Amino acid sequence: MQFQNPKPTWLTGLGLLTLTGIGVLGIGGPPAKFAQTPGSADISTLQRDFQNPPDDSKIMVRWWWFGPAVTTQELEKELHEMKDAGIGGFEVQPVYPLTLDDPIKGLVNFRYLSPEFLNAVSDVAHTATQLSLRMDMTMGSGWPFGGPQITPELAAEGLTCIRIPIPEGARTIAGPSLKEGQRFLAAFVASGDASHYDSQTARQIAPQMDGTFEIPPSSAGPRVLLFLVAGLTGQQVKRAAVGAEGNVLDHYSRAAIEKHLDTVGGPLEQAAEGKIRAMFCDSLEVYGADWTGDFRNEFKRRRGYDLTPLLPALFDNAGAQTAAIRHDWAQTLSELLNEKFLEPFQAWCHAHRVLARVQAYGTPPAQLSSYRFVDLPEGEQGDEAGHWNHFTASRWASSASHAYGVPVTSAETWTWLHTLSFRATPLDFKAYADQYFLEGINQIVGHGWPYSPPGVPEPGWHFYAATALNPHNPWWFAMPDLALYLQRASFMLRQGRPANDIAVYLPTHDALAALTPAHTNLWDSIWKQLGPDILPSLLEAGYGLDFIDDEILAHNARVGNGKLVIGSQEFPIVVMPGIERTTPETLAKLAEFAQSGGILVATRRLPSLAPGFHQESQTAEIARQVDELFNKPSAPGHYVPTEDQSLENELTRLHLPDVAFSPRSQEIGFIHRHTDAAEIYFLANTSNHRLQTTATFRVSGKHAEWWNLFTGEVTPAQSAPDSQGAALKLDLEPYGSRLLVFTNRKTPEPPGLKPAQLPEPLDMSREWQVTFEGREEETSMDALRSWTEVEGIKFFSGRATYMKKFFAPPPFLQKGIHAVLNFGEPTALPENPKGHYQAALDGPVREAAEVFVNGRRAGAVWHPPYELDVTDYLRPGENELRIVVGNTAVNEMAGGPLPDRKQLTARYGERFVDQGNNLIEALPSGLLGPIRLLPRIQATDEADQ
């Protein structure tokens, strides 16, 4: 990590990340800064730690404190529940109230930062330490940063152009009345009307002593007075807790963040007594914030010219230089965000011995390299439908981590999953987490865990726009299994270093030039500049990729042996997707890369402009550099005018893909990590149907092994040498995933015992005795059916126990036979490309089953292929099978009234609106079958993983 200020001494040499991950995220002692490691652990150590991964790779959750109306007793109880579920930490985020004060019931909304609230923070910090849980804090309530301490002079500001038609023949005109907090910047007369004007005709005029404006004579047709003002955006903290209401702070003002740090950060850190691991800055989302009090002075100091006479160009076309002016304005905003907000926030965190965890994208216009002021880069979903192979905030964050040597990248995960709270299933969580893993994420922060007091009707309190991760889900018994899967994947995806082939140079300058007042989301603008096709096509072609920008190239990149070395990565390929604006310095670095043997590919168009206004000399230099790089006969660069098959053909001609799939599919993704001892590949089928393909890995001289993320088992994989590497057949169930590890060792083949004849499958779909939780009577099910079809059970949410006795046929007990309890095949549902993410699959188990054979737990079933190996649990003769099934909490919600928020809204205002209430309905639940005991032969093929 590159520190802009001297590196704090407490960050030096403390808790550096090792391959086993020990001591990085623990909260005992001072928090440690991550450091990239070469990955030198031997394969046996890596396997042992994979099977029992360290606690710091466990998922975390965002813990919403509503009100906050919390009690020490309930907080401690929920911490223990997190621990028991396999969750390794939490982030406290106080938000809006869900109850009126009712002291008799123990429901009292503590004011934010009150002694009572801070006592709760202190109690949680101590209990978390005792339980070895990581503790983060949102530095504020809701988002963005702000609150009652943010006075108008410290609040977010925006730029506005008020347009007043000038009456024909008028010699003077009065300016508009300013609203409170607005201030006059400049006025112009331009041709046009209130809906459209010509900025090229804009002429600045000054107010007269009486506040009116003298209008110069003209016969050019209708004219308009352009009145430029700066003023408060008026944005308030979103989802604020009681006592945390107020203005969003000005993210371009050092005084504003320092006020927030002193007023909010100080009391939180003091209450936790040094036990907070990281302070968290949630989504920026400072809408309309595109100005600050001293902006014009800062602009002139940085850009070298006065913006005032050019202000109309920010709002309408002012000719050929419009984009250049807008670029300089947006670039200045970005620099101010870095220097006046992110840098002081990180410096405060270091001074108080905590880490700075930030989601650095959105509005204000954070650049990729803004993450250099962040210790723990964080992303989230970039697309509500879960398009992992597009331009996402998570790949943005992981790219920054890789560039700055931070081995752990977190993501706010599962926001809006299935829209309706408590509707998400374990399969939903797993399927969406896999997509985050494909984007380079290796620390899940579940969104989230709703605090819920005792006595509240089931399923308890929940956040308006998120999944609910807590024991109020009837399927919660499967959470430890899901958490262990996620923990193992997170651990393995931290090992060694990322091994991506392509560095995608982002069109940052083009995106800055496209921004306008009130529309300053740089991340979104970059996405539009990239277009929808290039990233999916590169990934489908078998290349891993990261993003880079000018700052990273200038300060974190070097060229060596035909590679662009950034952090611990060595990129053989750089792609410039449709770049129009770049700097001579960037082109010089890329020319050095290409001349050393690196592969530089430009698509769509060649760079032709230097970014910014009055850059004629630099633009001429760019023309010369581009000619040398791409146009001359001996030019080392490659230009591909389109981003279709011709781009892929050019890349594969120049450099073999890391993984080549045949047949191809955009629905299969992979991510590759390299260590001294292993090549690690995580593969995932992101679709709701089975995919069969052959994958050829660019690996030679090593042995392939399947490392089972659910069981920890390691078995050899059957690979065939290929001229391009190692070829393996893949058979991936819907939303299936695999961990493939290439090592130097040869794993022994399992005993090749094959019975003379396989026994016939045993149907077990009939004659079940079912007992529903909270009900004494048994229900006989001669044939399996949904609970919604059982009288009196339609709106039941909870658990039911299925009991059955059966005789195991002797052939199932012979050596070489694996007895697999299969619950049936899932049904694919129509995909939901425009909606919030969900696994488009109805399984035969709704939604999770815990299987006990002869009183011993055999495992949990909640994802394809919906089966469980029970070989070791069977015995000769009679066997007892007990299956506990949990559904979602939605059925009970469907059977009762919706929450009445009228009194709450009357007391506190409308701070949120429940989402997804139109989706509440009783869902199929239970075991739907058919259930069979199937014989299998021990195999090493990946399909049996």
Side-chain angles (χ1 to χ4, degrees), residues 248-566:
V248 169
L249 65 81
D250 181 354
H251 284 56
Y252 311 119
S253 164
R254 182 178 289 267
I257 184 59
E258 287 179 347
K259 180 69 172 180
H260 186 79
L261 294 168
D262 291 344
T263 305
V264 178
L268 292 176
E269 192 276 333
Q270 187 175 10
E273 299 179 8
K275 296 178 175 62
I276 294 174
R277 179 196 71 143
M279 286 290 189
F280 176 54
C281 174
D282 201 351
S283 303
L284 294 176
E285 297 184 27
V286 191
Y287 302 126
D290 48 40
W291 199 259
T292 190
D294 61 346
F295 185 84
R296 283 186 288 188
N297 291 333
E298 289 283 359
F299 183 95
K300 188 170 185 179
R301 180 174 68 83
R302 296 160 189 270
R303 309 279 85 87
Y305 64 94
D306 184 7
L307 178 62
T308 302
L310 302 171
L311 282 171
L314 300 182
F315 292 90
D316 212 326
N317 183 20
Q321 293 298 332
T322 301
I325 296 166
R326 292 175 178 176
H327 170 278
D328 288 351
W329 162 74
Q331 175 69 24
T332 303
L333 290 175
S334 183
E335 292 171 3
L336 291 175
L337 170 70
N338 290 341
E339 298 170 21
K340 308 292 187 178
F341 179 78
L342 290 173
E343 185 177 12
F345 176 67
Q346 185 190 49
W348 184 96
C349 288
H350 291 176
H352 291 80
R353 302 169 66 82
V354 299
L355 298 168
R357 179 176 142 232
V358 181
Q359 296 178 356
Y361 42 83
T363 305
Q367 299 188 23
L368 176 66
S369 50
S370 295
Y371 274 115
R372 68 190 185 275
F373 300 104
V374 175
D375 301 320
L376 299 173
E378 178 155 301
E380 60 182 311
Q381 63 190 51
D383 183 286
E384 291 179 348
H387 293 152
W388 61 275
N389 54 356
H390 287 251
F391 184 66
T392 67
S394 288
R395 196 181 297 277
W396 167 274
S398 68
S399 295
S401 290
H402 298 161
Y404 292 114
V406 181
V408 176
T409 310
S410 59
E412 174 191 306
T413 314
W414 305 318
T415 312
W416 294 108
L417 182 61
H418 242 306
T419 307
L420 177 65
S421 292
F422 290 105
R423 174 62 182 86
T425 70
L427 176 60
D428 290 322
F429 289 112
K430 187 264 184 194
Y432 208 4
D434 286 348
Q435 297 200 17
Y436 283 93
F437 292 144
L438 294 175
E439 297 164 53
I441 296 302
N442 51 22
Q443 174 63 67
I444 298 294
V445 182
H447 189 278
W449 183 294
Y451 172 95
S452 191
V456 174
E458 288 296 321
W461 287 353
H462 60 271
F463 197 60
Y464 81 103
T467 53
L469 278 164
N470 64 18
H472 293 271
N473 291 284
W475 53 259
W476 191 250
F477 56 80
M479 187 63 203
D481 299 86
L482 170 61
L484 183 56
Y485 167 86
L486 299 173
Q487 182 184 2
R488 285 195 175 113
S490 298
F491 169 74
M492 291 300 290
L493 294 178
R494 298 179 185 186
Q495 302 313 300
R497 62 174 177 82
N500 294 317
D501 286 325
I502 298 177
V504 177
Y505 172 68
L506 293 177
T508 303
H509 294 295
D510 295 330
L512 286 167
L515 299 181
T516 57
H519 302 283
T520 57
N521 188 326
L522 178 61
W523 179 85
D524 185 64
S525 184
I526 290 174
W527 189 352
K528 292 174 182 175
Q529 294 289 329
L530 284 170
D533 300 325
I534 186 166
L535 299 182
S537 65
L538 292 175
L539 292 166
E540 183 185 1
Y543 298 97
L545 60 86
D546 267 349
F547 307 134
I548 58 173
D549 67 7
D550 297 88
E551 171 70 27
I552 289 172
L553 278 170
H555 297 102
N556 289 81
R558 62 180 175 84
V559 174
N561 299 320
K563 304 288 180 65
L564 185 67
V565 183
I566 301 177

Side-chain angles (χ1 to χ4, degrees), residues 615-838:
Q615 299 295 325
E616 291 80 3
S617 62
Q618 288 207 334
T619 293
E621 172 61 15
I622 284 173
R624 185 196 66 78
Q625 291 174 303
V626 167
D627 193 49
E628 294 282 342
L629 257 176
F630 295 102
N631 295 331
K632 291 188 175 181
S634 59
H638 306 268
Y639 174 52
V640 181
T642 60
E643 293 174 348
D644 54 15
Q645 187 66 38
S646 57
L647 171 60
E648 182 185 326
N649 291 342
E650 182 72 357
L651 287 175
T652 55
R653 179 182 71 82
L654 296 167
H655 193 80
L656 284 177
D658 192 359
V659 185
F661 296 101
S662 180
R664 295 250 306 260
S665 172
Q666 285 195 359
E667 296 168 321
I668 298 179
F670 76 92
I671 194 160
H672 177 193
R673 304 280 300 191
H674 167 80
T675 78
D676 293 345
E679 301 296 331
I680 301 168
Y681 289 88
F682 175 83
L683 304 110
N685 175 5
T686 65
S687 78
N688 65 347
H689 52 271
R690 182 176 294 275
L691 289 174
Q692 295 176 318
T693 185
T694 296
T696 301
F697 297 84
R698 198 180 59 218
V699 176
S700 60
K702 291 184 180 292
H703 302 282
E705 301 173 353
W706 296 113
W707 291 30
N708 192 306
L709 289 161
F710 293 103
T711 67
E713 182 183 11
V714 173
T715 56
Q718 299 298 318
S719 62
D722 184 275
S723 60
Q724 298 181 352
L728 291 90
K729 291 185 177 180
L730 299 179
D731 186 358
L732 297 170
E733 66 276 5
Y735 303 112
S737 55
R738 303 286 188 272
L739 191 72
L740 181 65
V741 181
F742 288 92
T743 75
N744 293 321
R745 69 182 180 183
K746 184 170 177 59
T747 306
E749 296 281 350
L753 296 174
K754 291 188 178 181
Q757 184 176 358
L758 284 175
E760 291 294 320
L762 178 64
D763 182 45
M764 303 184 67
S765 302
R766 311 186 73 83
E767 298 178 356
W768 289 90
Q769 295 299 312
V770 184
T771 304
F772 291 92
E773 188 176 37
R775 290 166 167 80
E776 294 184 0
E777 67 277 10
E778 282 189 348
T779 298
S780 295
M781 284 193 184
D782 182 55
L784 294 170
R785 61 189 188 275
S786 169
W787 300 349
T788 54
E789 300 173 16
V790 178
E791 185 177 355
I793 303 296
K794 179 177 181 179
F795 299 112
F796 173 78
S797 288
R799 300 174 187 179
T801 300
Y802 290 67
M803 294 288 295
K804 180 184 186 65
K805 293 185 178 180
F806 68 99
F807 283 88
F812 274 91
L813 304 176
Q814 62 183 309
K815 289 184 178 181
I817 290 290
H818 279 244
V820 175
L821 190 62
N822 181 280
F823 287 79
E825 293 297 317
T827 301
L829 302 174
E831 295 282 2
N832 188 21
K834 296 183 179 179
H836 296 139
Y837 183 82
Q838 63 190 70

